Amino acid sequence: MSQVHKVIVLNKPLKIFEQTPIQLFLLVGSIIGALLIATSLPKDWKFNNVPAGVFVFVGIVGAAIVLGKMSEVKPWMWWKNMVLYRLNIIPKTFVPKPEPAPLYPDPNIIESKKKSEQYYVEAQDQAAPR
């Protein structure tokens, strides 16, 4: 008989309800925040006899879901840099400060004195007959 073993894939993040713990924390926080904001709106604000708080709640929770899924596509730092560069908040060109070039060859290197420069193989005289 064959045995079935459970395989744990270590390079995939922990997921609960198809979301990582950070995404779940973002979603729960947005639900609590959206409820607080939606209930603080006046009751007489309505769109087609639907309270405005419902639209605010759906908008905030929907944005949190989109932000959570965006983090699976690219890391947060990538999204932050993309927004900052597109809004021209951060300069797009980087000019480094000039630095003095290192001395080459290094003056601390002490070379040994060469005794004599001789060839390993000496050439034979071709003019003399054998």
Side-chain angles (χ1 to χ4, degrees):
M1 296 191 69
S2 64
Q3 292 181 351
V4 177
H5 296 284
K6 184 177 179 181
V7 176
I8 299 172
V9 181
L10 298 175
N11 63 352
K12 291 189 180 180
L14 170 69
K15 292 211 172 190
I16 304 166
F17 303 120
E18 296 297 321
Q19 294 188 354
T20 63
I22 295 173
Q23 291 171 333
L24 279 176
F25 179 73
L26 178 67
L27 184 61
V28 169
S30 69
I31 289 173
I32 293 170
L35 278 174
L36 292 174
I37 293 171
T39 56
S40 68
L41 291 176
K43 304 292 181 198
D44 58 339
W45 288 7
K46 295 187 177 193
F47 297 111
N48 294 330
N49 293 329
V50 179
V54 173
F55 293 108
V56 170
F57 178 80
V58 170
I60 292 173
V61 173
I65 292 171
V66 169
L67 288 173
K69 289 298 178 183
M70 281 174 34
S71 69
E72 287 184 5
V73 177
K74 299 277 186 180
W76 287 110
M77 190 59 67
W78 187 90
W79 290 107
K80 184 190 94 171
N81 287 338
M82 185 194 70
V83 169
L84 293 177
Y85 285 130
R86 294 228 175 138
L87 294 177
N88 291 328
I89 295 173
I90 296 176
K92 294 180 182 178
T93 56
F94 175 72
V95 180
K97 294 179 182 177
E99 297 178 359
L103 293 175
Y104 185 80
D106 190 7
N108 297 333
I109 298 175
I110 300 171
E111 294 185 16
S112 61
K113 295 181 181 178
K114 297 178 182 176
K115 295 179 182 175
S116 64
E117 293 190 14
Q118 295 179 351
Y119 295 106
Y120 289 108
V121 179
E122 293 184 8
Q124 295 178 353
D125 188 15
Q126 297 291 334
R130 293 188 175 191

